[in-house]
């Protein structure tokens, strides 16, 4: 396959698709679903589920183009023999690894909560890496799988941005892989950690890798009309150049006709920067964006 160029920060990157793998990190029920372990800790899981649709679009495109797709799950053996004592001792006794949670024993392989959410469920033949730590390379066969398939580049999605995603990217960087982290395909319970995590990856000329978005990858693969094109800081800068006033927090995506999408509340999005008869509002749904009159 001929190489493609993916728009990214700190600069665009050219990759050969035959040497590029998609890594989807820890999109597990216990972390993302209401009633799971993440929610019992007091977290707002909607901040993680917001990344599912972008991940699904990229996953579908990767499968169509025959990319290697690898899924990871954090969890431990039922006897917990692979869990360090310091990790087992963390947190309230009723919420520790191995304790009974809403979806079975917490972070234990084979329990319902340990499994991947249905929207991103692995297809037959796609490797699933069960990892005992934060990084996907630690005590796993991931590097062997990537080396055997001749991979050089990793498209990285998953949760959470500042923990398992960042740890995996740093491990991969030390092993010589070029990592492209898709901002809207990653998420955190803490939005500020998400932003800082992405900033650290692309700092100093891309010290750990590149930051892009689902739209840029889909455009490189021939689907330019869906997904988010660039990470949020770039869009915030663009809004300032346009002289937009009274902006709240930018959602970080471009609309289908090139409009800037500005998040103005929890459920409504406003498009800016395109000559329009009036503001166009969207309601964020489970499947992409749909019109709201």
């Amino acid at each position: 396959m001929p190489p493609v160029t993916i728009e990214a920060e700190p600069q665009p990157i050219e990759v050969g698709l035959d040497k590029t793998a998609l890594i989807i990190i820890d999109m597990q029920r216990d972390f993302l679903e209401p009633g799971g372990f993440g929610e019992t800790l007091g977290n707002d899981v909607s901040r993680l589920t917001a990344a599912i649709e972008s991940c699904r679009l990229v996953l579908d495109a990767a499968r169509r183009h025959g990319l290697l797709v690898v899924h990871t799950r954090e969890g431990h053996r039922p006897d917990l023999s692979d869990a360090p004592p310091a990790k087992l001792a963390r947190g309230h006794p009723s919420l520790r690894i191995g304790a009974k949670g809403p979806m079975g024993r917490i972070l234990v392989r084979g329990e319902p909560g340990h499994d991947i959410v249905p929207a991103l469920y692995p297809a037959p033949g796609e490797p699933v890496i069960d990892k005992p730590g934060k990084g996907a390379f630690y005590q796993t066969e991931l590097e062997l799988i990537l080396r055997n398939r001749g991979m050089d580049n990793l498209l990285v999605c998953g949760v959470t941005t500042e923990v398992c995603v960042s740890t995996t990217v740093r491990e991969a960087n030390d092993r010589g892989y070029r990592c492209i982290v898709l901002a809207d395909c990653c998420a955190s319970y803490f939005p500020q950690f998400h932003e800082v995590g992405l900033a650290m990856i692309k700092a100093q000329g891309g010290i750990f890798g590149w930051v892009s978005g689902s739209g840029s990858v889909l455009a490189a693969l021939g689907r330019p009309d869906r997904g988010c094109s660039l990470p949020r800081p770039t869009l915030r800068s663009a809004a300032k150049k346009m002289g937009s006033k009274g902006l709240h927090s930018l959602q970080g995506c471009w609309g289908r006709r090139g409009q800037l999408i500005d998040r103005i509340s929890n459920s409504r999005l406003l498009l800016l920067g395109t000559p329009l008869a009036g503001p166009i509002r969207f309601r964020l749904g489970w499947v992409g964006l749909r019109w709201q009159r």
Side-chain angles (χ1 to χ4, degrees):
M1 289 183 280
V4 300
T5 299
I6 298 174
E7 292 297 323
E9 293 182 328
Q11 65 272 324
I13 178 173
E14 184 178 88
V15 300
L17 295 181
D18 57 338
K19 293 184 175 296
T20 300
L22 173 64
I23 310 295
I24 303 181
I25 297 174
D26 298 0
M27 298 294 277
Q28 295 164 248
R29 295 183 61 203
D30 241 342
F31 299 145
L32 279 82
E33 291 187 0
F37 175 57
E39 189 173 70
T40 66
L41 295 177
N43 296 306
D44 180 0
V45 296
S46 68
R47 290 173 174 164
L48 301 195
T49 58
I52 290 178
E53 177 62 11
S54 295
C55 284
R56 187 191 65 78
L57 292 173
V58 173
L59 175 60
D60 289 348
R63 287 169 172 166
R64 286 195 305 271
H65 285 79
L67 271 64
L68 172 64
V69 176
V70 180
H71 306 260
T72 77
R73 301 181 295 199
E74 182 180 355
H76 297 277
R77 295 166 54 93
D79 63 4
L80 304 182
S81 59
D82 60 347
K87 189 175 183 181
L88 291 175
R90 191 177 64 232
H92 189 278
S94 65
L95 297 174
R96 289 176 181 170
I97 294 170
K100 183 67 175 179
M103 297 184 186
R105 295 177 67 203
I106 296 169
L107 289 185
V108 170
R109 297 173 188 173
E111 298 290 332
H114 178 257
D115 212 355
I116 293 169
V117 295
L120 303 174
Y121 208 76
E126 292 178 351
V128 178
I129 300 295
D130 283 321
K131 59 189 186 69
K134 305 299 185 292
F137 288 88
Y138 173 68
Q139 296 293 308
T140 74
E141 297 176 337
L142 177 58
E143 186 170 12
L144 181 63
I145 291 171
L146 296 175
R147 296 293 183 202
N148 287 344
R149 294 287 294 270
M151 297 295 107
D152 294 329
N153 316 296
L154 306 180
L155 301 173
V156 184
C157 307
V159 298
T160 60
T161 310
E162 76 279 9
V163 182
C164 294
V165 171
S166 291
T167 303
T168 298
V169 166
R170 292 175 184 225
E171 290 180 329
N173 177 267
D174 281 343
R175 289 164 171 79
Y177 293 101
R178 302 195 301 171
C179 294
I180 306 165
V181 180
L182 307 187
D184 60 309
C185 297
C186 299
S188 171
Y189 296 124
F190 308 97
Q192 66 273 28
F193 291 176
H194 173 78
E195 298 293 349
V196 172
L198 296 176
M200 293 174 69
I201 288 168
K202 66 185 179 182
Q204 301 181 72
I207 192 167
F208 295 120
W210 290 256
V211 175
S212 186
S214 62
S216 296
V217 172
L218 297 176
L221 297 178
R223 290 287 301 279
D225 62 330
R226 300 290 297 276
C228 299
S229 298
L230 285 174
R232 297 174 192 172
T234 296
L235 295 172
R236 189 175 292 111
S237 299
K240 289 180 180 178
K241 290 179 181 178
M242 290 190 302
S244 303
K245 304 295 184 182
L247 292 178
H248 301 284
S249 61
L250 291 179
Q251 175 68 13
C253 304
W254 290 102
R256 293 185 62 173
R257 297 178 180 84
Q259 308 99 322
L260 184 64
I261 297 177
D262 170 36
R263 188 182 183 99
I264 59 172
S265 75
N266 289 331
S267 62
R268 294 177 183 274
L269 302 174
L270 175 66
L271 300 185
L272 303 171
T274 300
L276 300 168
I280 299 176
R281 283 180 170 81
F282 290 85
R283 184 171 292 279
L284 188 61
W286 281 105
V287 182
L289 296 170
R290 58 179 182 267
W291 290 102
Q292 172 159 333
R293 298 296 182 184

